[in-house]
Amino acid sequence: MDMGRKSSCRDDTNGVVAALLLAAALCLGAAAVARGQLTDDFYDYCCPQAEDIVKARVSAAMRAEARMGASLLRLHFHDCFVNGCDGSILLDGSNSEKLAGPNLNSARGYEVVDAIKADLEKACPGVVSCADILALAAKYGVLLSGGPDYDVLLGRRDGLVANQSGANSNLPGPFDSTDTIVQLFKDVGLNTTDVVVLSGAHTIGRARCALFSNRLSNFSAASTVDPTLDASLASSLQSLCRGGDGNQTAALDAGSADAFDNHYFQNLLKQKGLLSSDQGLFSGADAGANATKALVQAYSANPQRFLCDFGRSMVKMGNIRPLTGSSGQIRKNCRAVN
């Protein structure tokens, strides 16, 4: 990005308008030439400061609450698995994906996205999509937590409709078996390696008691507590959740809650996965777990392999059915269509 071009700007209204029109044409041209393919230089000419603006807002939000990096990463994931990566999770309304079971009282970070969008509209009106904001916010949520600095492909446009029923049916859940999760990933073009490596995003963030308390009591006729859950961790979680309303939270990666590393996989080897869907990747009895177990072991022993594969899988996920060219729109407000 050539930030030096700012020095040549003049107080010339006609020149500014012409420059804006040229920038918009360059963005549209890039999408047309790409013919549905995203590129890593999409905003280099039409909004060269876009990534810096996103990074600044994400950094400020994470200074206020380290957990926000994980929340923004999750928004991108939940967006892409429903209608593709089109920013539909951000839309308000009666059919909003925000009201779907996997997102209600769970998905968060919308206000950070609003702030990023406001900054971008001031700098580059009508240029940067909400879908791309989600992809970039996820990247910086990972990077500023100590994770890999992967290249984000850009050029998505925003969808016109939300899909609440799709959010209820398409998103992998904390109670799902490994076989079910592998199939949901396969449905959007991702494979078993992507399942394990993207589950590694749970190296940061927290989960509510409502999502794992089923493992803490009355688990089965044979066992009060899930036998694949470490006894000492189970005891501490019982104390945390007892008598509450299900909204108390625990770290997804006990012992390394805010650092993006491979500790999550090391915890799975010790039966310290918080969610049953996480621990199932290593301890599950279904057919899918045969493949995921070997990957969990590999990533637990090789942090660099995990970080490299994570970046690759994020790029793959970010390319799930994006709208490009003249499809969709660039929303002015991420919560509503223009």
Side-chain angles (χ1 to χ4, degrees):
M1 298 183 184
D2 180 9
M3 302 302 290
R5 74 186 71 209
K6 288 185 177 180
S7 62
S8 64
C9 292
R10 295 177 297 156
D11 186 15
D12 178 351
T13 301
N14 291 333
V16 170
V17 171
L20 287 172
L21 290 173
L22 175 59
L26 284 167
C27 276
L28 290 172
V33 170
R35 295 182 180 177
Q37 297 299 311
L38 307 177
T39 66
D40 61 1
D41 60 353
F42 190 84
Y43 296 114
D44 279 9
Y45 294 99
C46 52
C47 192
Q49 64 270 57
E51 292 204 30
D52 290 336
I53 288 172
V54 175
K55 183 179 181 181
R57 277 291 181 181
V58 173
S59 179
M62 290 179 64
R63 284 197 300 272
E65 182 189 19
R67 177 188 174 193
M68 188 54 66
S71 299
L72 293 169
L73 172 57
R74 187 164 181 257
L75 277 184
H76 182 41
F77 180 95
H78 280 216
D79 182 45
C80 290
F81 268 68
V82 183
N83 290 359
C85 306
D86 67 345
S88 59
I89 193 173
L90 302 173
L91 290 170
D92 289 335
S94 59
N95 193 41
S96 175
E97 293 166 28
K98 299 175 183 180
L99 304 178
N103 296 324
L104 186 63
N105 298 321
S106 178
R108 56 201 299 276
Y110 302 113
E111 294 79 8
V112 178
V113 175
D114 291 339
I116 293 170
K117 182 61 174 173
D119 288 349
L120 286 168
E121 285 299 303
K122 290 176 184 176
C124 318
V127 172
V128 182
S129 69
C130 300
D132 276 349
I133 289 173
L134 287 177
L136 287 169
K139 168 193 171 155
Y140 287 113
V142 169
L143 180 63
L144 296 172
S145 298
D149 184 11
Y150 58 92
D151 286 334
V152 176
L153 302 183
L154 301 165
R156 301 168 191 79
R157 289 169 64 83
D158 297 321
L160 305 178
V161 295
N163 184 357
Q164 189 176 128
S165 63
N168 279 317
S169 61
N170 298 349
L171 288 167
F175 312 114
D176 287 341
S177 68
T178 300
D179 281 347
T180 297
I181 294 171
V182 168
Q183 184 59 53
L184 289 170
F185 271 64
K186 184 178 179 181
D187 290 344
V188 294
L190 302 177
N191 60 32
T192 301
T193 297
D194 299 316
V195 169
V196 178
V197 76
L198 291 176
S199 294
H202 286 174
T203 185
I204 54 175
R206 305 181 70 83
R208 295 178 297 134
C209 286
L211 301 181
F212 57 82
S213 58
N214 65 306
R215 307 181 70 197
L216 305 179
S217 63
N218 302 315
F219 181 74
S220 70
S223 178
T224 300
V225 176
D226 184 346
T228 68
L229 179 61
D230 173 78
S232 63
L233 178 59
S235 179
S236 67
L237 293 174
Q238 287 169 335
S239 298
L240 170 71
C241 299
R242 186 179 296 117
D245 60 1
N247 287 316
Q248 305 95 317
T249 63
L252 285 161
D253 184 10
S256 181
D258 298 320
F260 200 98
D261 53 28
N262 71 329
H263 190 264
Y264 161 86
F265 297 106
Q266 295 171 357
N267 267 347
L268 297 187
L269 300 187
K270 302 172 185 175
Q271 296 190 321
K272 291 185 177 182
L274 183 65
L275 306 179
S276 59
S277 56
D278 285 335
Q279 191 59 50
L281 297 174
F282 181 73
S283 304
D286 46 347
N290 292 331
T292 59
K293 181 176 182 178
L295 287 165
V296 169
Q297 292 172 316
Y299 291 134
S300 70
N302 190 335
Q304 192 59 40
R305 178 179 173 184
F306 164 57
L307 296 177
C308 289
D309 285 358
F310 185 84
R312 282 192 283 266
S313 288
M314 284 296 290
V315 172
K316 283 180 66 178
M317 186 188 77
N319 204 34
I320 297 174
R321 301 195 309 276
L323 299 175
T324 58
S326 60
S327 299
Q329 63 180 207
I330 306 297
R331 285 185 222 139
K332 298 176 182 177
N333 173 356
C334 290
R335 294 175 181 261
V337 296
N338 297 340

